[in-house]
Amino acid sequence: MDLLQYKPKAQFAQRHLLTLQDYTPDEILQVLSLAAKLKLQRKLGMDQTHILRGKNVALIFTKPSMRTRVSFEVGVQQLGGHALYISGPEIGLGTRESVYDVANVLSRFVDGIMIRTFHQSDVEGLAKYGQIPVINGLTDDYHPCQVLADLLTLYEHKGALAGRKLAFVGDGNNMANSLMIICSKLGVDVAIATPAAYAPQAAYVSWAKENAKAAGSTVTITTDIAEALRGADAVYTDVWASMGMEAETEKRARDFADYQVNSAVLKLAKPDAIFLHCLPAHRGSEVTDEVMDGPQSVVFDEAENRLHAQKAVLALLMGAR
């Protein structure tokens, strides 16, 4: 399948991006297709500023992030809009001011909200009470913008997505959840290798398995890295202690000691497998320099694709094409 030539099966009907579990496979492919087109247009020097001309987007950061802030600010600007950075303390979401009040106030000021925060309920509350599109830039449960960039990267390096296999090694965190969801929706086999105590929550696994049943793919949860990586086209890892879990760093370092992606582990996958990481990476912990900087690593292509994937989300939710 050529994403640049993808023909939608139905009209894009989403108003928000809260979790990709809400999206149909067709809607996800529409996002990826538009991301590929916008990336090509940018490379060719084509003007894109008409898409969000006159639109303002509030970027709320309870959790800081270099990639999320820069990619959204630059993306909005490239589409002709204006981005406003708002730090967590400036709002005090749920403490200084209720989610209901923030949603209604911002709906009077701006045309859309991107929020990167801890609680999924905050994202859902903004969408429920506001009158403008809301984009989940990351919560403790999901990271939908990242996995859109991941699947765009997989497509660029491997071609057709359906029938591929992605293996994730590490904590059953928001990245594992979101990768299970998007891969299972698009017919990509997904395997999660993690210590038993850190496996993804059963609800997310159940969703993914139902998705996979419809798409004809598989979802595997295992403690065995070799089982997960067998036949994998892509190997993915993430930090062992996510933001907010700093107190668990030492314990997690011990618990995940056997789950480092190094050159020996990477060899358990296909010889031409690509290596992915959402960044920031703790080199020497979940991944070695040899892998991060090796010929199979596409982590900087992946990081760049955050920009293009998010521009597609912004365009579909807020723009005119």
Side-chain angles (χ1 to χ4, degrees), residues 16-17 31 44 124 143 153 158 231 251 259 272 279:
H16 308 287
L17 175 55
V31 176
L44 296 174
E124 293 174 355
H143 201 349
T153 308
K158 294 297 178 182
K251 180 180 186 304
Y259 287 81
D272 62 346
L279 303 180

Side-chain angles (χ1 to χ4, degrees), residues 16-226:
H16 308 287
L17 175 55
L18 310 181
T19 165
L20 287 170
Q21 184 62 19
D22 296 336
Y23 280 46
T24 66
D26 175 59
E27 287 170 334
I28 295 172
L29 289 171
Q30 287 187 52
V31 176
L32 294 177
S33 176
L34 182 55
K37 291 172 184 175
L38 290 172
K39 183 174 184 178
L40 178 60
Q41 289 173 4
R42 184 72 186 172
K43 183 178 180 180
L44 296 174
M46 296 173 64
D47 179 60
Q48 300 172 338
T49 57
H50 63 284
I51 297 174
L52 289 186
R53 184 172 293 129
K55 300 290 181 70
N56 294 292
V57 185
L59 309 180
I60 302 173
F61 284 84
T62 299
K63 279 186 174 182
S65 168
M66 176 186 74
R67 269 158 297 279
T68 300
R69 179 175 179 178
V70 174
S71 58
F72 266 106
E73 286 196 6
V74 170
V76 171
Q77 181 184 46
Q78 288 182 0
L79 296 178
H82 177 67
L84 302 92
Y85 173 85
I86 308 172
S87 68
E90 289 179 274
I91 295 183
L93 195 65
T95 55
R96 179 173 175 268
E97 194 160 7
S98 71
V99 173
Y100 177 87
D101 289 353
V102 171
N104 278 282
V105 169
L106 287 179
S107 293
R108 305 293 182 99
F109 291 155
V110 299
D111 303 285
I113 297 170
M114 188 290 302
I115 178 169
R116 179 182 168 96
T117 189
F118 292 89
H119 306 298
Q120 180 69 15
S121 59
D122 289 343
V123 180
E124 293 174 355
L126 289 172
K128 178 180 179 180
Y129 299 124
Q131 294 81 51
I132 53 178
V134 174
I135 298 170
N136 182 351
L138 173 142
T139 64
D140 288 346
D141 296 313
Y142 307 109
H143 201 349
C145 291
Q146 178 64 56
V147 296
L148 287 166
D150 298 336
L151 270 288
L152 179 60
T153 308
L154 180 61
Y155 163 78
E156 289 177 339
H157 287 271
K158 294 297 178 182
L161 293 171
R164 297 292 180 184
K165 180 180 178 180
L166 182 146
F168 177 88
V169 180
D171 186 24
N173 59 12
N174 53 3
M175 281 306 313
N177 296 341
S178 293
L179 285 166
M180 284 193 298
I181 288 170
I182 194 170
C183 287
S184 62
K185 291 238 178 194
L186 298 184
V188 177
D189 294 339
V190 59
I192 309 293
T194 188
Y198 296 92
Q201 293 180 36
Y204 301 127
V205 176
S206 178
W207 282 356
K209 288 188 174 181
E210 285 300 311
N211 297 339
K213 190 183 301 182
S217 55
T218 61
V219 176
T220 302
I221 310 297
T222 181
T223 59
D224 186 346
I225 295 177

Side-chain angles (χ1 to χ4, degrees), residues 304-320:
E304 178 192 342
N305 280 338
R306 284 285 300 276
L307 172 66
H308 309 298
Q310 289 163 186
K311 284 169 66 176
V313 171
L314 287 161
L316 285 166
L317 296 180
M318 297 177 55

